[in-house]
C-alpha cells in the first residue's frame, strides 16, 4: 500500500479545478456496477441480481472530482462521519490518535500506524487508488435499487422468501449505510411482489426530474404506477414489453405510462383516471406512430425505431401538432441503431426540449441524448448529444478527457492514450486521429466519422484512466488496457437503463460520467498583425495581414472584407494558420478578391491562441483611405458561436495625378449635365472623375503611363483624349465637348451637314453654337467639328 513521497507530491500538485464551461460533475467509470447517488454517497448494485442473496448494495463515497487530497478528505468526513474511512482521518494530515481512529486506519489500509509522514503517504496513495472507484464504506445485503426519482430512492428488499418488498425512501434524509427496513426515511410502498429484472434495468422506469415511477409485479402480471402522490394498477397484456414513465405531469393524450420496448411491436399508452384506475389505449391506432420494438416519448415528441429502404434500423422522430390536432409528423434521423450489427446507437434515448425566452431564443434547446458504439475493437459506448436545431452530433467524452488532463499528473493522460492506441488494430492506431482509408476488415462502423472515432478513443481513455491506471502510472508501471474492462455485458445493461437521463436543463447523467453542459460561448480574443498601413497604388504595394484567435472552440473562422472607399484594392488567396493542432481547413476568396476567409475545424473543442488566417492586401488604384473589416468567429461543440471584429484603415497614395477642365461652346454646359467622365489607364483600370462646378477635376491615378479620358453629355460629342502622364501631376488641359451631331449617331459627319441644309423640312434644334440664331455660323461649326466621334471605352 505504501507509495513514494515523490509520486504523491506530483499528484497533490496537479489536482486543480478545471475552467471549462462544460465539465464533469462526477465519474463512476471505475466500475461496471449500476449506481444511484445521494450527495457524494453512491449505492452500487450488481447488474444482474437474479438471486436474492446476491442483491448486495455496496455503499461508497464519490471523490472523483475532488480538487486535491484535502478536498477528498473533507468529502469523506462530511458524507459518512461514522465510517472507518472518516474515523481514521480525524486528525488529517496528521495520524489518528484515538483508539477508534487507529483501529479504523488498520482496518481500511491494512497498515500499522507509525509516524505522521508514513500515515500521510499511505492515505494519499489510498485516495489515489480509490479516486474514481469510490471509497467503499459498507455493504447492505439483500437490497437493491428499483429506480431513482427527483426526491426518492425506490429500493427492493429481498428478505421475504420468493418475493420482495418495495420501499420509498426520501433522498434528503436517507442513509445508504442502513437497510431500508431500519430507517425512518423509508416507508413500505408495496409488499409480496416479484419485480422484473429486465424492466428495471433496461427501461426509464423512473424520472430524475419528477417523482413518478412504474414497476411490474410478475407474480400478478400487473404494473404499479406512482404519480408522486398516488399509485394506480394496470393489467399487463403479455406483450413482452417494458414500461416507461412519461416525464411530464398529466400529459393530455399520450398517457402517464407507455410501452417502451415490445417484442411484437404492440405499443400501449396508459392513463391514470380519477378513480386511480389505469386506462389503456393503443398508441398505434390513433396517432400514426409505427415503432417496431422501441419507443420513447417526451412531451409532444416521440422517438422510435424504423427500418429504412436500405434495410437499416434507424431512429425516427415523430412530432405532434398542438391540440386538438393529433397528427404526428415523421422525420428520419441520421441515427443508425445498434440492431443486427455490432455498431451504431443503443436503443435508449433521453430528450431535452426548452423554450427559454421564446421559440427563437438562442438558449432554447432540442437535445437528444444517445449512446454510440463503434464495433470491433471500438466496441465501447460513448455518450452523444444530437442537436436537432443544427443537426450536429456532440460527442461528450472529450470533455471528460480534458478534465482528467487538468486534474491528474502531467503525462498521465498521454500515457493512457498511448496504451489505448496500442491496444487497437494497427490500421486504426497508425491513422489516428484520422480514419484509415480501408476499414472493411476491422469490424467497425463503416460510416464512422473522424469525430466519432476520436470520441470512442477518448471514451476508452476515460474508462482506463479511472479504473486503476493512475495507480499504475504513479508506480512507474506499464498501463494495461483490459479487454474485459470495456464493452462488457454489464456496460450494455447500464446503457439500456435509466442512467442515461437529463437531470436538469444543463446536466446529463450517462453511465460512467455525469456531465454539466453549457452551450454558452465566449467572445474570442482577436489579434491582427499588419505589416504596414502606408501603401502606394502606383507601386501596387501590399500589406501582410495575420489574424490569430484565442479561446476554447471546436471551430474558428477568420475573415476580411474590403469596404468601399477612396482607394481600391484586392486580397490574396488566404492561407490557413495553425490554430487547433490537426485541424482541417477550408478557405474562400470571393467577390472579385474583396472577401477572404479561412475556417479551421478541430476534432475536439480546443484551447489555442494561434494564427487562423493570413492574406495580403494590395492597393490597386486611387488615393486616400482604404478600410478593411476583419472578424473572428468562435464556435463551440454545440454549434453556438460569437464573433469579434475590427476595422483597419490604410492610407493609399499615388505619384501620378491627372488634372484638367472640361469646356463647351456657349458656356451652357454644367457638371450636372455630364453623364459620365472616366479616366482609363493602360491596364484597363477605370477612375471615375469627380467634376467640380467650374468643370475642373483632379484625379489620383496609378502608375505613370498612357491614359485616356472619356466623357458624355446629351447633345454633345466628346472625342477620346489620349496622353502620357509621367510622375507627378499632369495637366490634360481644356477638354472640349463638341456640338454638331444633329442625327444623334455619336459622330459629326456630312450627314449632319446635309441635315442642316434641309432643316426646313426637318424637326430638331439647329442652333449648334447656342447663340440663339440659326445661320451660317452654325453650318461652319459643323464643318469645323466634322470627323469627331464620341469616345467609347
Amino acid at each position: 500500500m505504501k507509495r513514494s513521497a515523490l509520486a504523491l507530491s506530483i499528484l497533490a500538485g496537479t489536482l486543480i479545478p478545471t475552467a471549462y464551461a462544460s465539465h464533469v460533475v462526477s465519474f463512476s467509470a471505475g466500475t461496471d456496477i449500476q449506481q444511484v447517488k445521494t450527495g457524494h454517497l453512491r449505492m452500487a448494485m450488481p447488474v444482474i441480481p437474479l438471486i436474492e442473496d446476491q442483491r448486495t448494495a455496496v455503499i461508497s463515497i464519490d471523490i472523483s472530482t475532488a480538487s486535491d487530497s484535502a478536498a477528498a478528505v473533507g468529502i469523506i468526513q462530511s458524507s459518512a462521519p461514522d465510517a472507518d474511512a472518516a474515523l481514521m482521518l480525524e486528525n488529517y494530515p496528521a495520524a489518528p490518535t484515538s483508539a477508534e481512529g487507529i483501529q479504523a486506519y488498520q482496518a481500511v489500509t491494512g497498515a500499522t500506524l507509525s509516524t505522521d509522514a508514513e500515515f500521510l503517504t499511505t492515505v494519499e496513495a489510498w485516495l489515489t487508488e480509490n479516486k474514481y472507484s469510490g471509497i467503499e464504506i459498507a455493504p447492505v445485503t439483500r437490497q437493491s435499487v428499483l429506480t431513482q426519482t427527483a426526491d426518492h430512492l425506490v429500493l427492493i428488499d429481498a428478505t421475504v422468501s420468493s418475493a420482495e418488498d418495495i420501499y420509498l425512501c426520501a433522498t434528503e434524509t436517507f442513509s445508504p449505510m442502513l437497510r431500508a427496513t431500519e430507517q425512518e426515511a423509508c416507508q413500505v410502498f408495496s409488499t409480496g411482489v416479484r419485480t422484473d429484472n429486465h424492466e428495471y434495468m433496461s427501461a426509464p422506469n423512473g424520472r430524475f426530474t419528477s417523482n413518478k415511477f412504474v414497476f411490474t409485479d410478475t407474480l400478478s402480471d400487473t404494473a404499479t404506477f406512482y404519480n408522486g402522490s398516488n399509485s394506480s394498477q394496470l393489467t399487463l397484456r403479455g406483450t413482452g414489453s417494458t414500461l416507461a414513465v412519461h416525464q411530464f405531469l398529466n400529459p393530455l393524450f399520450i398517457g402517464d405510462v407507455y410501452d417502451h420496448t415490445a417484442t411484437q411491436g404492440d405499443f400501449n399508452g396508459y392513463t391514470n383516471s380519477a378513480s386511480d384506475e389505469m386506462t389503456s389505449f393503443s398508441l398505434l391506432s390513433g396517432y400514426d406512430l409505427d415503432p417496431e420494438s422501441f419507443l420513447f416519448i417526451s412531451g409532444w415528441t416521440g422517438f422510435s425505431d424504423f427500418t429504412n429502404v436500405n434495410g437499416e434500423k434507424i431512429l425516427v422522430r415523430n412530432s405532434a401538432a398542438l391540440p386538438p390536432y393529433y397528427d404526428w409528423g415523421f422525420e428520419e434521423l441520421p441515427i443508425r441503431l445498434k440492431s443486427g450489427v455490432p455498431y451504431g446507437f443503443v436503443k435508449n434515448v433521453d430528450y431535452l426540449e426548452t423554450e427559454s425566452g421564446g421559440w427563437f431564443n438562442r438558449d432554447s434547446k432540442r437535445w437528444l441524448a444517445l449512446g454510440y458504439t463503434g464495433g470491433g475493437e471500438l466496441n465501447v459506448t460513448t455518450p452523444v448529444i444530437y442537436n436537432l436545431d443544427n443537426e450536429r452530433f456532440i460527442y461528450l467524452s472529450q470533455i471528460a478527457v480534458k478534465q482528467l488532463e487538468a486534474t491528474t499528473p502531467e503525462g498521465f493522460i498521454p500515457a493512457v492514450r498511448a496504451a489505448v492506441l496500442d491496444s487497437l488494430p494497427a490500421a486504426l492506431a497508425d491513422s489516428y486521429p484520422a480514419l484509415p482509408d480501408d476499414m472493411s476488415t476491422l469490424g467497425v462502423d463503416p460510416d464512422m466519422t473522424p469525430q466519432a472515432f476520436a470520441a470512442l478513443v477518448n471514451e476508452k481513455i476515460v474508462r482506463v484512466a479511472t479504473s486503476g491506471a493512475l495507480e499504475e502510472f504513479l508506480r512507474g508501471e506499464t498501463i494495461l488496457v483490459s479487454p474485459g474492462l470495456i464493452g462488457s455485458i454489464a456496460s450494455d445493461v447500464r446503457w439500456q437503463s435509466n442512467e442515461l437521463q437529463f437531470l436538469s436543463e444543463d446536466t446529463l447523467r450517462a453511465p460512467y460520467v455525469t456531465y454539466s453542459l453549457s452551450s454558452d460561448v465566449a467572445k474570442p480574443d482577436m489579434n491582427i498583425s499588419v505589416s504596414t498601413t502606408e501603401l502606394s497604388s502606383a507601386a501596387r504595394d501590399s500589406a501582410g495581414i495575420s489574424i490569430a484567435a484565442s479561446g476554447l472552440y471546436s471551430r474558428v473562422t477568420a475573415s476580411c472584407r474590403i469596404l468601399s472607399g477612396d482607394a481600391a484594392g484586392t486580397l490574396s488567396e488566404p492561407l490557413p494558420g495553425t490554430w487547433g493542432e490537426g485541424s482541417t481547413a477550408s478557405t474562400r476568396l470571393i467577390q472579385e478578391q474583396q472577401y477572404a476567409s479561412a475556417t479551421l475545424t478541430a476534432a475536439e473543442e480546443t484551447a489555442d491562441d494561434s494564427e487562423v488566417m493570413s492574406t495580403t492586401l494590395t492597393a490597386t488604384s486611387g488615393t486616400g483611405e482604404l478600410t478593411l473589416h476583419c472578424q473572428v468567429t468562435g464556435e463551440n461543440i454545440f454549434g453556438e458561436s460569437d464573433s469579434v471584429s475590427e476595422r483597419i484603415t490604410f492610407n493609399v497614395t499615388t505619384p501620378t495625378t491627372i488634372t484638367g477642365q472640361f469646356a463647351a461652346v456657349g458656356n451652357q454646359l454644367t457638371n450636372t449635365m455630364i453623364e459620365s467622365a472616366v479616366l482609363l489607364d493602360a491596364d484597363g483600370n477605370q477612375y471615375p472623375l469627380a467634376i467640380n462646378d467650374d468643370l475642373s477635376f483632379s484625379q489620383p491615378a496609378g502608375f505613370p503611363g498612357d491614359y485616356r479620358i472619356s466623357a458624355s453629355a446629351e447633345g454633345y460629342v466628346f472625342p477620346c483624349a489620349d496622353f502620357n502622364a509621367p510622375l507627378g501631376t499632369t495637366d490634360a488641359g481644356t477638354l472640349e465637348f463638341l456640338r454638331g451631331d444633329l442625327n444623334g449617331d455619336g459622330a459629326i459627319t456630312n450627314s449632319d451637314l446635309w441635315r442642316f441644309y434641309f432643316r426646313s423640312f426637318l424637326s430638331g434644334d439647329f442652333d449648334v453654337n447656342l447663340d440663339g440664331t440659326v445661320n451660317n455660323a452654325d453650318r461652319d461649326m459643323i464643318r469645323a467639328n466634322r470627323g469627331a466621334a464620341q469616345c467609347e471605352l
Side-chain angles (χ1 to χ4, degrees):
M1 285 295 297
K2 294 184 179 180
R3 306 289 185 269
S4 69
L6 174 62
L8 294 170
S9 65
I10 293 175
L11 175 62
T14 55
L15 286 173
I16 58 175
T18 63
Y20 296 113
S22 296
H23 57 276
V24 171
V25 175
S26 65
F27 290 95
S28 60
T31 175
D32 268 336
I33 306 287
Q34 282 186 293
Q35 299 180 3
V36 295
K37 220 181 152 186
T38 61
H40 289 284
L41 288 175
R42 297 192 300 213
M43 176 183 289
M45 64 178 182
V47 171
I48 309 178
L50 299 179
I51 303 173
E52 289 82 350
D53 290 341
Q54 293 179 351
R55 293 186 178 179
T56 299
V58 178
I59 313 304
S60 61
I61 303 173
D62 178 14
I63 60 170
S64 62
T65 54
S67 59
D68 53 28
S69 297
V73 169
I75 291 173
I76 294 170
Q77 290 174 329
S78 62
S79 300
D82 297 328
D84 285 348
L87 293 175
M88 76 174 189
L89 300 170
E90 61 183 9
N91 297 327
Y92 178 86
T97 53
S98 68
E100 294 85 355
I102 295 172
Q103 183 178 357
Y105 173 78
Q106 293 174 341
V108 171
T109 66
T112 302
L113 190 63
S114 54
T115 65
D116 286 348
E118 287 192 3
F119 163 80
L120 184 60
T121 299
T122 302
V123 166
E124 296 278 8
W126 170 73
L127 292 173
T128 300
E129 182 179 354
N130 295 281
K131 178 174 175 63
Y132 300 105
S133 59
I135 304 298
E136 186 174 324
I137 55 176
V140 180
T141 60
R142 300 178 68 85
Q143 183 167 285
S144 56
V145 178
L146 177 65
T147 191
Q148 185 173 5
T149 66
D151 300 316
H152 296 96
L153 292 174
V154 187
L155 303 182
I156 302 171
D157 185 85
T159 56
V160 181
S161 177
S162 302
E164 303 156 339
D165 292 340
I166 308 299
Y167 282 81
L168 194 63
C169 303
T171 307
E172 186 174 348
T173 56
F174 176 74
S175 172
M177 298 180 63
L178 299 175
R179 292 180 61 84
T181 57
E182 300 172 356
Q183 52 182 311
E184 294 182 358
C186 299
Q187 304 295 323
V188 175
F189 181 81
S190 184
T191 61
V193 301
R194 170 65 68 181
T195 54
D196 185 341
N197 296 326
H198 177 67
E199 179 182 77
Y200 71 75
M201 289 186 299
S202 304
N205 60 338
R207 300 298 308 180
F208 296 157
T209 53
S210 75
N211 285 317
K212 300 190 298 184
F213 65 89
V214 65
F215 69 91
T216 297
D217 177 12
T218 60
L219 295 179
S220 62
D221 287 333
T222 61
T224 298
F225 167 66
Y226 181 68
N227 65 6
S229 58
N230 300 305
S231 60
S232 305
Q233 303 293 318
L234 61 95
T235 301
L236 298 180
R237 295 173 300 121
T239 61
S241 169
T242 60
L243 298 174
V245 175
H246 194 280
Q247 65 174 316
F248 294 106
L249 294 174
N250 301 319
L252 293 181
F253 65 95
I254 298 171
D256 301 282
V257 183
Y258 62 90
D259 290 329
H260 175 59
T261 59
T263 56
Q264 300 174 3
D266 187 11
F267 289 81
N268 262 13
Y270 306 88
T271 301
N272 188 13
S273 67
S275 60
D276 290 337
E277 294 295 327
M278 299 295 289
T279 302
S280 66
F281 58 94
S282 175
L283 283 171
L284 306 185
S285 61
Y287 309 114
D288 200 25
L289 293 170
D290 192 22
E292 296 177 1
S293 62
F294 162 74
L295 176 66
F296 178 83
I297 302 176
S298 175
W300 304 102
T301 305
F303 298 92
S304 57
D305 55 347
F306 174 77
T307 303
N308 64 14
V309 294
N310 298 321
E312 300 169 330
K313 186 83 75 172
I314 64 171
L315 194 69
V316 297
R317 174 175 175 263
N318 302 275
S319 299
L322 294 177
Y325 306 104
Y326 296 150
D327 293 335
W328 291 72
F330 181 86
E331 176 190 3
E332 293 188 21
L333 300 176
I335 297 171
R336 183 168 58 183
L337 297 172
K338 183 183 176 184
S339 179
V341 289
Y343 45 76
F345 291 88
V346 298
K347 290 168 63 173
N348 188 24
V349 303
D350 197 28
Y351 182 60
L352 174 68
E353 183 169 1
T354 66
E355 301 297 345
S356 175
W359 284 92
F360 302 103
N361 188 280
R362 64 178 294 174
D363 294 329
S364 298
K365 299 174 183 175
R366 292 192 305 154
W367 287 358
L368 184 65
L370 304 146
Y372 172 73
T373 303
E377 293 300 320
L378 296 172
N379 62 335
V380 65
T381 302
T382 191
V384 188
I385 286 178
Y386 180 66
N387 189 337
L388 276 78
D389 292 317
N390 57 22
E391 300 180 347
R392 174 174 298 195
F393 289 98
I394 300 109
Y395 295 91
L396 303 182
S397 55
Q398 58 177 289
I399 298 172
V401 169
K402 284 181 172 61
Q403 183 144 334
L404 288 170
E405 285 180 317
T407 58
T408 56
E410 183 178 357
F412 171 58
I413 293 302
V416 175
R417 180 177 286 107
V420 167
L421 292 175
D422 190 55
S423 70
L424 299 179
L428 291 172
D430 293 343
S431 64
Y432 177 82
L435 285 166
D437 295 332
D438 182 11
M439 299 193 297
S440 59
T441 61
L442 299 175
V444 299
D445 183 357
D447 298 323
M448 185 186 302
T449 64
Q451 290 77 16
F453 177 36
L456 293 167
V457 172
N458 280 335
E459 186 69 25
K460 283 202 168 192
I461 291 172
V462 173
R463 303 278 189 93
V464 173
T466 57
S467 301
L470 181 57
E471 190 180 8
E472 295 172 345
F473 177 78
L474 293 176
R475 287 201 302 259
E477 300 174 356
T478 301
I479 295 175
L480 300 177
V481 179
S482 172
L485 177 69
I486 300 168
S488 64
I489 295 176
S491 175
D492 292 341
V493 170
R494 288 190 69 177
W495 277 99
Q496 295 287 343
S497 74
N498 63 354
E499 280 197 80
L500 181 65
Q501 194 172 141
F502 285 103
L503 305 183
S504 65
E505 290 186 7
D506 59 3
T507 305
L508 174 67
R509 176 174 174 176
Y512 305 102
V513 182
T514 298
Y515 293 92
S516 175
L517 304 172
S518 172
S519 58
D520 294 338
V521 58
K523 283 186 178 295
D525 290 327
M526 178 172 63
N527 182 19
I528 302 179
S529 299
V530 179
S531 61
T532 181
T533 58
E534 298 292 329
L535 302 175
S536 168
S537 58
R540 296 293 198 272
D541 284 346
S542 296
I545 300 165
S546 174
I547 301 178
S550 61
L552 179 69
Y553 304 106
S554 61
R555 177 182 297 165
V556 292
T557 298
S559 63
C560 288
R561 183 189 304 274
I562 298 175
L563 304 180
S564 59
D566 300 327
T570 58
L571 294 167
S572 68
E573 184 70 37
L575 298 176
T578 59
W579 185 94
E581 183 179 358
S583 60
T584 58
S586 62
T587 60
R588 290 198 305 165
L589 181 64
I590 57 176
Q591 299 174 5
E592 298 181 343
Q593 295 182 252
Q594 301 296 291
Y595 177 88
S597 69
T599 298
L600 298 177
T601 303
E604 301 175 357
E605 211 166 46
T606 301
D608 202 348
D609 59 359
S610 303
E611 182 185 67
V612 180
M613 180 187 78
S614 62
T615 184
T616 57
L617 170 67
T618 301
T620 57
S621 63
T623 184
E625 290 187 350
L626 190 156
T627 303
L628 193 65
H629 180 270
C630 295
Q631 177 174 293
V632 164
T633 300
E635 185 176 302
N636 65 13
I637 58 175
F638 299 97
E640 302 293 343
S641 62
D642 208 341
S643 302
V644 62
S645 62
E646 182 178 334
R647 291 189 177 189
I648 308 163
T649 300
F650 297 83
N651 182 36
V652 179
T653 59
T654 177
T656 301
T657 300
I658 311 298
T659 63
Q661 187 171 29
F662 292 105
V665 64
N667 296 322
Q668 294 188 24
L669 182 68
T670 65
N671 60 349
T672 59
M673 295 170 61
I674 299 177
E675 298 170 349
S676 68
V678 176
L679 176 68
L680 178 73
D681 68 16
D683 293 331
N685 297 308
Q686 296 185 14
Y687 307 86
L689 299 180
I691 304 172
N692 300 317
D693 290 343
D694 63 354
L695 303 187
S696 65
F697 62 87
S698 178
Q699 176 61 51
F703 290 109
D706 294 331
Y707 286 86
R708 169 175 288 180
I709 293 177
S710 172
S712 64
E714 186 176 358
Y716 294 87
V717 169
F718 184 85
C720 294
D722 296 318
F723 55 92
N724 183 271
L727 290 174
T729 300
T730 297
D731 186 3
T734 300
L735 305 172
E736 189 172 2
F737 282 85
L738 304 179
R739 296 272 294 171
D741 181 16
L742 299 182
N743 61 6
D745 64 356
I748 303 174
T749 63
N750 285 334
S751 63
D752 298 297
L753 190 59
W754 280 106
R755 189 175 183 85
F756 182 82
Y757 288 144
F758 290 95
R759 64 187 179 275
S760 297
F761 305 99
L762 302 170
S763 62
D765 181 9
F766 296 96
D767 184 10
V768 178
N769 61 7
L770 301 175
D771 63 355
T773 304
V774 177
N775 52 30
N776 287 338
D778 299 298
R779 179 201 61 193
D780 293 342
M781 180 167 286
I782 296 173
R783 286 177 175 174
N785 294 338
R786 187 168 44 186
Q790 175 63 40
C791 182
E792 301 290 347
L793 297 182

